[in-house]
Amino acid sequence: MAFELPKLAYEPNALAPFISAETIEYHYGKHHQAYVNNLNGLIPGTGFENSDLESIIRKADGPVFNNAAQIWNHTFYFDSFSKNGSKVPSGRLSDAINASFGSFESFRELFTRSAATLFGSGWTWLAVKEDGSLHVIQESNAGNPMKNGLKPLLTCDVWEHAYYIDYRNRRPDYIKSFWEIIDWEIIGNRF
Ligand code: FE2
């Protein structure tokens, strides 16, 4: 079964000025596509020919894990945004954020710091443990908290390819914009 690049739910220019159409062209069109192509090239003969991405992420390591996780992580990341989405969490997710972090503002500060201080390439995650508690987690490279049994809710890609076209080396400015395009209704539906 060959993997395919999933379609975006919005036009390439929908997230501008926070994320430009040019960044989408490269980040989604080139990088995300490359992980799909790489995985399709790696899978034959590994025993993962009929596996879904989640199973591969849980069981594989090395290049197969890296490319499978990068496909999943990017799909999850790009699916978190919309042009005019809900700017704050509501309902059950809002309650859980308050219970785990004190307030939405405290959570935002913690997540922002985690994304800003992650050394090198990787992802910052909001994920939920089986006991219902929420956690902010730094993962290097292709890391994904589902590998440790947590369920991802939100992620910020801090690989340089996510922001270098629009923000050059200014990762903090990119993270600031990240908060403007998250659609919290989508995040709430994952919870
Ligand atoms: Fe990326």
Side-chain angles (χ1 to χ4, degrees):
M1 174 184 78
F3 291 98
E4 286 178 14
L5 183 68
K7 293 261 177 295
L8 289 180
Y10 41 80
E11 294 300 314
N13 63 356
L15 307 177
F18 304 109
I19 290 180
S20 67
E22 191 185 359
T23 287
I24 295 288
E25 186 190 332
Y26 279 84
H27 194 191
Y28 167 75
K30 307 281 187 205
H31 291 279
H32 199 178
Q33 180 71 63
Y35 298 123
V36 172
N37 298 345
N38 290 344
L39 187 65
N40 286 331
L42 288 165
I43 284 285
T46 59
F48 289 116
E49 287 87 349
N50 296 309
S51 301
D52 59 18
L53 280 180
E54 284 86 354
S55 310
I56 299 174
I57 290 169
R58 289 197 180 93
K59 292 177 198 157
D61 51 23
V64 172
F65 167 79
N66 286 337
N67 285 284
Q70 285 293 79
I71 297 171
W72 196 98
N73 296 356
H74 281 91
T75 301
F76 194 73
Y77 167 84
F78 286 122
D79 280 352
S80 306
F81 307 135
S82 72
K83 196 178 176 62
N84 296 306
S86 310
K87 290 282 185 248
V88 289
S90 58
R92 256 180 359 103
L93 178 58
S94 173
D95 295 343
I97 286 174
N98 292 338
S100 292
F101 305 108
S103 66
F104 181 58
E105 284 64 38
S106 311
F107 156 69
R108 255 182 76 139
E109 277 174 32
L110 185 68
F111 190 99
T112 296
R113 197 159 57 240
S114 173
T117 60
L118 198 159
F119 185 77
S121 297
W123 304 79
T124 278
W125 298 85
L126 172 67
V128 57
K129 257 189 190 160
E130 250 177 43
D131 66 5
S133 60
L134 301 187
H135 299 267
V136 171
I137 297 164
Q138 279 185 340
E139 294 275 2
S140 292
N141 302 317
N144 184 310
M146 78 168 73
K147 193 107 180 155
N148 295 315
L150 286 87
K151 183 182 173 191
L153 299 177
L154 174 70
T155 192
C156 184
D157 184 348
V158 296
W159 284 58
E160 278 189 348
H161 68 215
Y163 58 87
Y164 216 82
I165 290 171
D166 296 333
Y167 299 95
R168 297 301 174 196
N169 59 323
R170 304 188 311 277
R171 191 193 285 184
D173 290 350
Y174 155 69
I175 299 166
K176 214 167 168 185
S177 289
F178 169 80
W179 293 110
E180 301 296 325
I181 51 175
I182 299 166
D183 186 338
W184 281 97
E185 198 181 328
I186 297 170
I187 312 307
N189 289 338
R190 293 170 175 169
F191 184 49

